[in-house]
Structure formats: C-alpha cells, structure tokens
C-alpha cells in the first residue's frame, strides 16, 4: 500500500480506508505491507495488526510530500517481489511509470479528483492531473469510490474503472463522559462538524449559518488544518470569541466515539468529496445528517439525510433551523441512516471486491 500518509492514523479519509481495507484483506490471507511517510516525530512501529510497516523519506511540504514519498516507497517496493503494488490517491500515481517499467501489476484507488481541491496551487493541481492521466495509462486496474467519478473516467478517457464504495465498521455508542469533562458537552447539546479544516470542506458556510441561528446548542468543530494554516486563521476570526463554538482539534478513540454518539446533528457542507467516510460514520451512529447536495454526498446517503444547496449559507441556515426545531424528524432520519449503512456498507464486501480486482487481468 503506497500513497497514504501514515498508518495507524485518522489524519484523513485515505488513511482510514488503507487501514481498514488492509485489515480485512489480511483476514483473507493476503500479506499486506504498508509504506508510510517518515514523520519528523513519532514512533516507527514495524508491525501493526499483522501488517509489516516501512517508512519512506519525504519532504513535509504540501506540494512535494506525496510525490517524494511515493518515489522512495516505489523504489523500495520494487526490490521486494510483490504480486501487486496498490497506490492510493492521484499524487502517488505520478510514480506509476516506475513499476510499469518493471512489468509489475498495479492497482490504483482514486479517492477523489484531487486536482480540483482548492488547497492546491496551480502547479500542484496540474501535477495531480498528470497523476490521474498516469493512472489511466499505467494502472492495470483502477478503483473509484463513486459512480460520478466512474462516469468521469469513462467520459474523459474512455477508461473502465471498478466502483467499490468505502465501508464502515459497527461503532460503539458512548455516553458523554470525556466530552462533558473536556468541553462541557451534553447529549444532543451540539451540532457536529468533523473533517479536516480546509476550504473545500465548507466550514465557513456552516459557521456563518450557525451565527444567525437562535439556539442553545453549541457548534463543535473537530479536526485539524494540515497545510491550510491561513484558512484556519480565517475560520478562527470568523468564529470570533463565541463560547458556543468549540474547536476540539484532532480527535480519535473514545473522544471521537462520544462526539459521534451524542451529536444532535452532523453537518458536512463540503464542495468536493471523494467518498466521505465521516458521513458514513455519522450515519452508522444513527445521527441526523445535513449535507451539501454534491453527488458524492447524496450518492452515499441515498435519501437518508437532509441536504442543502452547496455554497448557499441561507439554505444551510434554513435547513439547520428546521432540524433543530424538529427532534422527532432528526430521530427518524438517524434511524433510517443507521439501518441503511448497516445493510449497504461494510468492509468485508469491500475486501471481497478488491480481491476480485487484484485477481482480474
């Protein structure tokens, strides 16, 4: 596995997917080696849940990190006789020409059309687009997470891809213990935003909408802002000194589980997504979800969520106010979402279909 930042980690959706998929592939008897990016701090573990862990040199700069790490990971991987090299995300695909030269079988998972994301410079976006074209040219098999991206590859390149959505594990529901002690939060006493704090996630729309709503419920912003410090500063300025807007920073483990378990509404106002794992998780917890109406969100949810017009703060405000006034509707939507996710999204199915891709010619 090449292209993620580091496992184990919840630093992004790619990392969650690589970890969960690898776990379930291991259960099927496939040995998985993980090529992490070497971090300036942190322990370098050599084995995790049966997976062998390797660490590749990189430069921790936004426009170079993924490309350099993929280059050194590929060089090391080519010496180890793997049956398959599985690359994740478009940035790492810039290195696909290397294993292609050595006639290695290459699988690629496109987690989203990364070159469209606002966080990238014009040069970086162009390089990501080159990575996408390299995936079309050199990959033996391409996996996509949404039917819209599948259509895009067919219309843009005439390239067939394999649609395999992400999964989600059953989550333990927890009472508000840690979140009460750390942040003063109670059950259904807050609106939850949980994602990376980057422009395309649309947090600025949510904060502007929330500030115009008369509610006692707090707004909890859970996430960090890697490579987007300027946007992070803008968000803090937008929130002002409001005691009702709580920034938790990066969360995981029991704290994360408590935040999901006790939110009144989960809001994902993103403008661009691949396949949002955090939305699947919120739905699996039986949370009422309010999302922007981009296809990637709506295709995941299949009518089990409320949606608003992407980028429209007034429409977001209107829908959020309606949900906060109608807890019974929130409950119905949450129950419907949990049932749907439990039936349609699971990692066993993802692993089974991924093995089929590996074994195909």
């Amino acid at each position: 596995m090449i292209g993620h930042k580091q496992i184990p980690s919840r630093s992004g959706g790619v990392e969650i997917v690589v970890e969960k998929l690898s776990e379930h592939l291991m259960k099927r008897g496939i040995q998985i080696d993980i090529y992490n990016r070497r971090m300036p701090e942190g322990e370098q573990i050599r084995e995790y849940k049966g997976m062998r862990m390797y660490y590749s040199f990189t430069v921790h700069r936004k426009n170079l990190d993924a490309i350099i790490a993929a280059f050194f990971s590929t060089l090391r991987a080519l010496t180890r006789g793997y049956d398959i090299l599985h690359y994740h995300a478009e940035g790492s695909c810039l290195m696909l020409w290397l294993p292609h030269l050595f006639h290695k079988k290459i699988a690629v998972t496109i987690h989203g059309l990364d070159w469209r994301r606002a966080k990238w410079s014009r040069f970086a976006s162009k390089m990501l687009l080159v990575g996408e074209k390299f995936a079309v040219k050199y990959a033996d098999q391409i996996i996509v997470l949404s039917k819209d991206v599948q259509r895009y590859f067919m219309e843009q390149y005439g390239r067939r891809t394999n649609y395999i959505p992400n999964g989600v594990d059953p989550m333990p529901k927890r009472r508000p213990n840690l979140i009460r002690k750390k942040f003063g939060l109670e059950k259904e006493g807050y609106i939850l935003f949980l994602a990376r704090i980057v422009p395309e996630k649309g947090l600025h729309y949510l904060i502007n909408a929330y500030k115009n709503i008369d509610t006692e419920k707090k707004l909890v912003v859970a996430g960090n802002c890697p490579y987007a410090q300027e946007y992070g500063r803008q968000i803090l300025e937008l929130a002002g000194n409001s005691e009702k807007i709580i920034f938790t920073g990066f969360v995981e483990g029991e704290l994360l589980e408590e935040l999901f378990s006790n939110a009144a509404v989960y809001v994902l106002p993103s403008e661009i997504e691949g396949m949002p794992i955090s939305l699947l998780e919120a739905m699996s917890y039986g949370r009422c979800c309010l999302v922007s109406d981009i296809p990637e969100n709506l295709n995941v949810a299949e009518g089990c969520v409320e949606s608003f017009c992407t980028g429209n703060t007034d429409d977001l405000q209107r829908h959020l106010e309606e949900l906060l006034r109608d807890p019974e509707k929130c409950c119905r939507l949450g129950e419907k979402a949990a049932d749907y996710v439990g039936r349609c999204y699971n990692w066993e199915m993802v692993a089974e279909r991924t093995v089929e891709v590996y074994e195909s010619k």
Side-chain angles (χ1 to χ4, degrees):
M1 297 291 181
I2 296 172
H4 59 283
K5 294 182 183 72
Q6 199 169 64
I7 304 298
S9 170
R10 280 191 62 95
S11 57
V14 176
E15 286 68 41
I16 297 170
V17 171
V18 171
E19 179 175 343
K20 293 297 183 181
L21 174 60
S22 297
E23 285 181 34
H24 287 273
L25 290 174
M26 289 283 293
K27 293 177 183 177
R28 293 173 173 271
I30 298 176
Q31 176 60 52
I32 302 293
D33 285 5
I34 302 288
Y35 283 79
N36 289 322
R37 301 179 198 176
R38 189 177 298 162
M39 298 297 179
E41 298 177 356
E43 180 186 3
Q44 293 188 5
I45 59 176
R46 296 301 174 184
E47 187 272 341
Y48 176 69
K49 296 184 177 179
M51 297 172 261
R52 294 181 297 218
M53 316 291 279
Y54 298 99
Y55 296 82
S56 299
F57 172 80
T58 189
V59 174
H60 295 285
R61 295 189 178 181
K62 180 172 67 174
N63 294 339
L64 299 174
D65 193 2
I67 299 170
I68 293 175
F71 174 71
F72 284 103
S73 295
T74 300
L75 287 182
R76 295 183 70 185
L78 286 174
T79 68
R80 291 196 165 94
Y82 296 117
D83 297 305
I84 296 171
L85 301 184
H86 191 155
Y87 289 78
H88 293 265
E90 291 180 337
S92 68
C93 292
L94 285 162
M95 293 300 119
L96 294 188
W97 59 273
L98 262 174
H100 178 74
L101 281 177
F102 288 84
H103 306 288
K104 293 293 185 180
K105 189 168 185 178
I106 303 167
V108 167
T109 296
I110 301 293
H111 292 256
L113 303 180
D114 292 338
W115 57 272
R116 292 180 174 177
R117 299 184 188 275
K119 67 179 180 178
W120 300 114
S121 66
R122 183 177 298 179
F123 172 77
S125 293
K126 287 182 178 178
M127 294 306 293
L128 289 167
L129 186 55
V130 172
E132 177 179 293
K133 292 177 179 179
F134 277 17
V136 170
K137 184 175 182 178
Y138 296 124
D140 295 285
Q141 295 290 339
I142 298 176
I143 296 168
V144 296
L145 307 182
S146 77
K147 292 181 179 179
D148 286 276
V149 173
Q150 188 176 45
R151 280 194 292 271
Y152 166 82
F153 272 87
M154 178 56 69
E155 292 171 1
Q156 187 72 20
Y157 304 107
R159 175 67 194 257
R160 294 184 181 276
T161 57
N162 304 277
Y163 167 59
I164 306 178
N166 291 329
V168 64
D169 284 333
M171 300 289 189
K173 294 185 178 180
R174 297 186 181 276
R175 295 183 178 182
N177 295 317
L178 293 176
I179 60 173
R180 179 185 292 128
K181 294 174 183 177
K182 292 193 70 168
F183 308 115
L185 298 173
E186 299 294 341
K187 184 173 179 59
E188 298 185 353
Y190 57 93
I191 302 153
L192 178 63
F193 169 93
L194 192 146
R196 288 174 297 118
I197 301 175
V198 291
E200 64 263 23
K201 294 295 183 181
L203 177 56
H204 48 289
Y205 301 124
L206 175 56
I207 291 178
N208 279 325
Y210 175 77
K211 287 165 67 175
N212 291 321
I213 294 175
D214 182 17
T215 180
E216 293 301 313
K217 296 190 189 299
K218 298 176 180 179
L219 173 61
V220 174
V221 177
N224 58 5
C225 48
Y227 303 130
Q229 283 79 9
E230 179 57 35
Y231 180 71
R233 283 190 288 271
Q234 294 172 11
I235 288 296
L236 290 175
E237 290 176 5
L238 190 61
N241 297 318
S242 174
E243 295 181 354
K244 293 173 64 179
I245 302 178
I246 298 171
F247 292 88
T248 69
F250 176 76
V251 293
E252 59 185 343
E254 290 187 18
L255 190 61
L256 172 71
E257 292 164 1
E258 287 189 17
L259 284 173
F260 270 134
S261 296
N262 297 285
V265 180
Y266 171 80
V267 184
L268 185 61
S270 46
E271 297 177 307
I272 299 174
E273 286 289 347
M275 182 182 182
I277 289 258
S278 60
L279 174 57
L280 278 180
E281 290 177 329
M283 292 171 68
S284 74
Y285 274 97
R287 296 304 91 197
C288 172
C289 298
L290 175 60
V291 303
S292 55
D293 62 354
I294 59 175
E296 292 83 357
N297 286 341
L298 298 184
N299 290 343
V300 165
E302 289 286 342
C304 298
V305 301
E306 282 284 293
S307 65
F308 67 93
C309 182
T310 305
N312 189 322
T313 301
D314 292 337
D315 197 42
L316 170 54
Q317 178 184 334
R318 179 174 65 83
H319 278 87
L320 187 53
E321 285 178 319
E322 289 176 358
L323 289 174
L324 294 178
R325 287 197 301 264
D326 193 349
E328 291 185 1
K329 181 178 182 180
C330 288
C331 185
R332 288 196 303 273
L333 281 171
E335 291 174 353
K336 184 179 180 182
D339 176 69
Y340 172 70
V341 168
R343 286 185 289 106
C344 299
Y345 295 96
N346 65 82
W347 285 114
E348 282 297 320
M349 175 201 70
V350 174
E352 179 179 351
R353 293 177 63 183
T354 301
V355 171
E356 292 173 1
V357 169
Y358 286 169
E359 293 176 342
S360 63
K361 294 183 179 179

